[in-house]
């Protein structure tokens, strides 16, 4: 992976490595350099795209659709600490309990490749109760902030605008030069520098 750090801001290019793994790399680096004694706690948190967040706030949220294969719904009890992880874990428990009553082990494993869809939707844009509107708006904001929901959900505004996971995270798509079947370090470095400068000019850095 490729990481650029500027004060408390981190640019991350995964290239096959998760943000959690990159966070552990940085924590190990800071520990080796004796920085952890000063900062005590270090966590990488994805930054929301403020334009998309504003769109959600202006138009309101009509529905949230969660989609995941049954296998990915596995959530240990200890990790069920958000509303979405609780929902996923509950759905997994109920479906597997129903399948286990009738199916063989082979059929049970095959069922794990099934796609499970869950939709939370207002009962009409105008006649829905204010509390219901507030609830689904807050739920959408939770989805944006949930680091474990990096994919598998679609938010639809009350004006019918769909918002995908890639749109709610502050990010930029860039084409890199390939050097001997690998990403060119110079190409990546220049792109990350340019993006960091752009974010700074937009006052999006801490």
């Amino acid at each position: 992976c490729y990481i650029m750090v500027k004060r408390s801001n981190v640019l991350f290019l995964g290239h096959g490595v998760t943000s959690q793994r990159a966070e552990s790399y940085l924590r190990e680096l800071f520990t080796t350099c004796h920085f952890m004694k000063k900062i005590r706690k270090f966590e990488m948190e994805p930054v929301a795209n403020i334009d998309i967040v504003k769109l959600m706030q202006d138009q309101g949220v009509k529905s949230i659709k969660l989609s995941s294969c049954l296998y990915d719904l596995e959530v240990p009890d200890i990790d069920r600490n958000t509303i979405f992880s609780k929902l996923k874990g509950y759905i997994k428990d109920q479906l597997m309990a129903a399948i286990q009553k009738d199916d063989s082990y082979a059929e049970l494993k095959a069922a794990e490749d099934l796609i499970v869809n869950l939709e939370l939707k207002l009962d009409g844009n105008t006649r829905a109760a204010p509390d219901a509107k507030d609830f689904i708006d807050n739920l959408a904001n939770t989805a944006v902030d949930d680091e474990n929901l990096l994919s598998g959900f679609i938010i639809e505004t009350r004006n019918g605008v769909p918002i995908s996971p890639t749109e709610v995270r502050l990010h930029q798509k860039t084409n890199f030069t390939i050097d001997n079947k690998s990403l060119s370090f110079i190409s990546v470095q220049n792109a990350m520098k340019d993006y960091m400068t752009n974010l700074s000019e937009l006052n999006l850095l801490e």
Side-chain angles (χ1 to χ4, degrees), residues 1-89:
C1 68
Y2 299 86
I3 301 172
M4 179 173 288
V5 180
K6 184 177 181 180
R7 294 191 294 274
S8 59
N9 305 285
V10 178
L11 286 187
F12 167 64
L13 173 62
H15 197 46
V17 176
T18 65
S19 59
Q20 292 84 358
R21 179 63 62 85
E23 180 181 307
S24 69
Y25 290 160
L26 285 176
R27 188 177 293 110
E28 183 66 26
L29 174 63
F30 294 156
T31 300
T32 302
C33 297
H34 306 292
F35 289 163
M36 290 304 293
K37 293 180 180 179
K38 296 180 180 179
I39 61 179
R40 296 184 181 180
K41 183 179 180 181
F42 171 74
E43 292 180 352
M44 284 173 55
E45 297 181 356
V47 178
N49 186 331
I50 57 175
D51 291 333
I52 295 299
V53 172
K54 186 177 186 302
L55 178 68
M56 289 168 49
Q57 293 173 342
D58 291 344
Q59 297 187 8
V61 176
K62 179 181 180 180
S63 68
I64 304 173
K65 299 176 183 177
L66 299 175
S67 178
S68 181
C69 70
L70 196 55
Y71 179 80
D72 289 336
L73 288 176
E74 184 65 45
V75 182
D77 290 341
I78 193 172
D79 294 328
R80 299 184 187 186
N81 48 19
T82 68
I83 187 168
F84 289 105
S85 61
K86 290 176 182 177
L87 277 173
K88 289 170 64 178

Side-chain angles (χ1 to χ4, degrees), residues 4 24 40 46 74 80 86 94 100 125 132 135 146 149 157 176:
M4 179 173 288
S24 69
R40 296 184 181 180
E74 184 65 45
R80 299 184 187 186
K86 290 176 182 177
Q94 297 303 310
Q100 286 174 331
N125 279 341
F135 175 77
D146 194 333
L149 282 180
T157 71
F176 299 107

